[in-house]
Amino acid sequence: MNRTLSILALTSTLALGALVGYDIRDRALDRAAPAATTTTSPSASTPTAATSGQMVPALAATPASEARARTESEANTVQVVKARRDGLVYISVTESDEGSAEAQLRQRLQQQLPFDFGLPDGGPRSGTGSGFFITKGGDIITNNHVVEGASEITIRLHGSAKTYKAEVVARAPDFDLALLRAVGVPAAQIKPIPLGDSDALDVGLKAIAMGAPFGLDFSVSEGIISSLERQVAVGTRAVEQKVIQTDAAINPGNSGGPLLNSAGQVIGVNTQILTGGIGQSAGVGFAIPVNTVKKLLPQLQAGKGGEDAVIQTPSLGIVLAELEDLGETQRQRAQLPDAGALVKCVYEGSPAQAARLQGALACADLRPSSAQAEPTPDLQRADVITAIDGQQVTTVNDLRAAVLGKQPGDRVTLQVQRAGKPREVQVTLKVFQFPTAQQ
């Protein structure tokens, strides 16, 4: 799938929009010539010649009046764009391995989309995205989905047609972030953009998005921060995470580009859009908070490429189910609580098995939705996780998000209930590889 598609194309409908231009010509209003000898009293007024449908002529502008006409916000936007545009990076990728897991996943997803994007049936595939410099050494932040599975990555800088190679230093697939390092770019041309503080944001503040939507180099859009309370599915495991919502226009190709504040600091990494089914930006875009980037940056910069390039996140090694999917009578009969994450099954060798958690089924009995129905689960023996480290677990995503923020080796305390009896369980987290079918 063409990488100009933002990751939202995996879960939402996207369509390439057409660029429409408008040419509006101002027309001067016809005015009758005043009589040379006519005098009027100070209170008299001359009727205007403007009629309905005529356009008001533009004010005559001199360099001085044009500068005064700019609002403070406009002047600030121009200043920010000029100061940060050289830190923007355009990313091009080539994906030649059609047999890779990433390529096969994108092919399956493409078949689910109702549009033909004109991608070739065979041979290398190419795509574009955005990114930005964060260090003088040429480190670049972008989205993981922009570069994952790429066999070759090249970059260009703003205002230049010259291309340079870039290498993947590390990827954090569960957070949809990746760190690239430019090769051969002159030091004088590397302009890092400073990172801000996404925890200090307020709804209503200005947001400036830069990138290359639809492959259009150096496009800028402006809006506001629409919400700081939004959570959307992010990363390869689609765990809901906190994001910044903005109405600044973000489109396919903006992925990985910076979202800036009025101080010219990065406050987020543009990652997804919601189209609402209209096939274009609907004013609902999402960005990964920059504080997530700063938290992961030491691990990303320590990456060495290859197999060491992927930042692994820990797991309990269990399959979960929502309690709300069960009827109230069924919950009461099995003495289940009203809220929590039901353990459906526990994999052998997992941290959960080491902590002696139990599921309602054996993992070997799990069936794909299209296959034979699963055996009847034994809810009496199943654990329900109601809290982690004192934080209440209401839904499955509450638990997933809490574990995602931990490191391998961390020890967590789970509040668990089985057959109506509560207990406390200590679990040491580790990286656990799920069987391919279940993953």
Side-chain angles (χ1 to χ4, degrees), residues 165-287:
K165 286 188 176 182
E167 300 173 345
V168 175
V169 178
R171 298 185 294 109
D174 286 329
F175 299 92
D176 197 23
L177 291 172
L179 182 73
L180 311 181
R181 190 160 291 156
V183 178
V185 179
Q189 296 184 29
I190 299 176
K191 307 291 185 182
I193 304 179
L195 306 182
D197 182 3
S198 52
D199 289 340
L201 298 176
D202 287 311
V203 173
L205 290 176
K206 179 191 292 186
I208 303 170
M210 294 200 302
F214 302 117
L216 300 174
D217 288 1
F218 191 60
S219 291
V220 179
S221 59
E222 178 182 308
I224 62 170
I225 296 171
S226 305
S227 175
L228 295 171
E229 301 177 356
R230 202 68 62 226
Q231 288 195 334
V232 300
V234 175
T236 54
R237 288 194 286 179
V239 177
E240 290 189 2
Q241 300 173 44
K242 183 179 179 181
V243 295
I244 300 169
Q245 180 184 330
T246 178
D247 65 347
I250 297 174
N251 285 292
N254 276 118
S255 291
L259 187 70
L260 306 173
N261 61 13
S262 57
Q265 300 169 323
V266 178
I267 56 174
V269 181
N270 301 324
T271 185
Q272 301 183 26
I273 63 172
L274 184 64
T275 67
I278 62 174
Q280 60 186 357
S281 174
V284 180
F286 303 114

Side-chain angles (χ1 to χ4, degrees), residues 41-261:
S41 66
S43 61
S45 61
T46 304
T48 177
T51 59
S52 176
Q54 288 182 316
M55 298 187 66
V56 177
L59 297 175
T62 64
S65 64
E66 183 178 354
R68 285 195 299 269
R70 288 187 179 183
T71 67
E72 183 178 350
S73 178
E74 288 174 330
N76 172 258
T77 301
V78 171
Q79 181 183 21
V80 168
V81 171
K82 287 183 177 180
R84 304 307 184 205
R85 60 190 176 188
D86 291 336
L88 190 63
V89 174
Y90 309 125
I91 301 172
S92 298
V93 300
T94 301
E95 181 182 286
S96 59
D97 185 5
E98 292 296 310
S100 69
E102 293 85 358
Q104 291 176 5
L105 174 61
R106 276 185 283 273
Q107 289 171 12
R108 289 196 301 271
L109 291 169
Q110 182 188 357
Q111 292 171 1
Q112 298 173 13
L113 297 175
F115 302 103
D116 177 11
F117 291 100
L119 298 179
D121 293 331
R125 299 188 178 203
S126 61
T128 60
S130 305
F132 55 96
F133 286 117
I134 59 167
T135 68
K136 278 287 189 180
D139 287 352
I140 300 166
I141 284 290
T142 186
N143 283 146
N144 174 71
H145 75 264
V146 171
V147 298
E148 184 176 18
S151 59
E152 183 181 25
I153 304 172
T154 58
I155 64 167
R156 290 185 299 106
L157 310 184
H158 173 253
S160 173
K162 183 175 177 60
T163 61
Y164 302 90
K165 286 188 176 182
E167 300 173 345
V168 175
V169 178
R171 298 185 294 109
D174 286 329
F175 299 92
D176 197 23
L177 291 172
L179 182 73
L180 311 181
R181 190 160 291 156
V183 178
V185 179
Q189 296 184 29
I190 299 176
K191 307 291 185 182
I193 304 179
L195 306 182
D197 182 3
S198 52
D199 289 340
L201 298 176
D202 287 311
V203 173
L205 290 176
K206 179 191 292 186
I208 303 170
M210 294 200 302
F214 302 117
L216 300 174
D217 288 1
F218 191 60
S219 291
V220 179
S221 59
E222 178 182 308
I224 62 170
I225 296 171
S226 305
S227 175
L228 295 171
E229 301 177 356
R230 202 68 62 226
Q231 288 195 334
V232 300
V234 175
T236 54
R237 288 194 286 179
V239 177
E240 290 189 2
Q241 300 173 44
K242 183 179 179 181
V243 295
I244 300 169
Q245 180 184 330
T246 178
D247 65 347
I250 297 174
N251 285 292
N254 276 118
S255 291
L259 187 70
L260 306 173
N261 61 13

